[in-house]
Amino acid sequence: MPTPTTSVESGKTYVYPDMVRQNILRMIPPDGLVIGSIGCGYATTESVLASQGREVHGVDLSAQAIEVAKTRLASARVVAPDEGMPFERESLDGLILADVIEHLPMAWNRLSLFAEMVKPGGWVVISVPNMRYCEALGTLICGEWPEHPTGIFDETHLQVMTHRRLLRWCEGAGLRLDRWFDAYHYSFYKRNICRVVNLASFRLLRGFMVFQVMGRFRRI
């Protein structure tokens, strides 16, 4: 099994952990046989879908990660950072965008192109960092924004993401919200404190309590 590594394609450094992301899998609906994943990395999460008999295809910037992904998916290939439509138009039943679009310039335009690859009625699952998360707001109050290798403060992020901004982008791309998924901090204490506050507020404070913005959308 590969160990977490980094890739420096296009002058940027990305961390590629080799682990199954259960928070992504829970968003995948039962329908959809042909699935694409942009930024698949080692395709560890996508390999679970492949083991279920789904036809999964992945693309990524890292040649090293793709060599592993090829052994796990129906196909996997390296793409250029500016490749607008890595899969054919309306060729997919579903598309995974797991922590990808926050790294893209003019990401709202790229999302519109990505949506065209999905058949009408097909789904798109999206995960991005929540920049309204209470910890992130604390740094803004202090007048600082750190650069970290991963997480909300990932130094490679180009976009400031919130629920409302992602929803606006998706509506502009012809995607209808199916449902939001709550994703809390990995720390036991932070996770449970934020969960209690979120539920106690009947999710009115969701925008400040969840660590990531995670949603499933359907192409209109």
Side-chain angles (χ1 to χ4, degrees):
M1 296 290 289
T3 56
T5 186
T6 59
S7 172
V8 291
E9 278 82 358
S10 303
K12 295 184 181 294
T13 301
Y14 301 95
V15 176
Y16 286 87
D18 188 24
M19 58 182 287
V20 174
R21 291 190 57 184
Q22 296 295 338
N23 59 355
I24 297 297
L25 288 178
R26 66 176 177 162
M27 295 197 292
I28 307 297
D31 62 293
L33 176 63
V34 182
I35 299 171
S37 178
I38 298 178
C40 66
Y42 291 128
T44 317
T45 300
E46 292 84 349
S47 68
V48 176
L49 301 175
S51 70
Q52 298 171 354
R54 305 208 201 189
E55 181 184 323
V56 188
H57 304 271
V59 297
D60 201 280
L61 297 176
S62 169
Q64 178 181 351
I66 286 297
E67 285 305 306
V68 177
K70 285 179 179 178
T71 68
R72 296 172 167 175
L73 305 180
S75 73
R77 67 181 180 88
V78 178
V79 290
D82 58 351
E83 186 167 340
M85 194 176 291
F87 302 107
E88 295 293 327
R89 182 174 279 102
E90 296 189 1
S91 63
L92 303 174
D93 300 315
L95 177 64
I96 300 172
L97 297 172
D99 299 286
V100 170
I101 60 176
E102 68 270 22
H103 298 279
L104 303 177
M106 303 288 284
W108 49 93
N109 291 333
R110 298 288 291 279
L111 181 59
S112 293
L113 289 176
F114 294 160
E116 291 184 28
M117 302 183 301
V118 180
K119 299 173 183 176
W123 49 265
V124 180
V125 296
I126 303 175
S127 171
V128 293
N130 177 24
M131 302 307 192
R132 293 182 79 201
Y133 178 60
C134 53
E135 184 177 344
L137 287 180
T139 63
L140 289 177
I141 292 173
C142 295
E144 176 62 294
W145 190 270
E147 294 82 30
H148 293 168
T150 60
I152 288 179
F153 304 112
D154 187 323
E155 61 189 357
T156 65
H157 288 167
L158 299 179
Q159 303 296 338
V160 176
M161 301 307 305
T162 65
H163 287 83
R164 290 182 64 181
R165 192 181 197 201
L166 179 60
L167 181 60
R168 174 167 54 83
W169 288 4
C170 287
E171 290 176 344
L175 299 173
R176 171 182 52 82
L177 176 65
D178 191 354
R179 62 167 290 193
W180 294 118
F181 293 79
D182 294 338
Y184 299 100
H185 198 279
Y186 52 82
S187 163
F188 176 82
Y189 295 105
K190 291 180 181 179
R191 178 173 68 249
N192 285 287
I193 289 172
C194 288
R195 178 185 285 115
V196 169
V197 172
N198 188 29
L199 295 178
S201 70
F202 299 98
R203 290 191 165 84
L204 293 176
L205 296 178
R206 167 188 276 156
F208 303 102
M209 294 296 111
V210 297
F211 192 65
Q212 288 185 293
V213 176
M214 307 186 78
R216 184 172 65 220
F217 301 82
R218 294 277 179 175
R219 188 178 178 202
I220 300 172

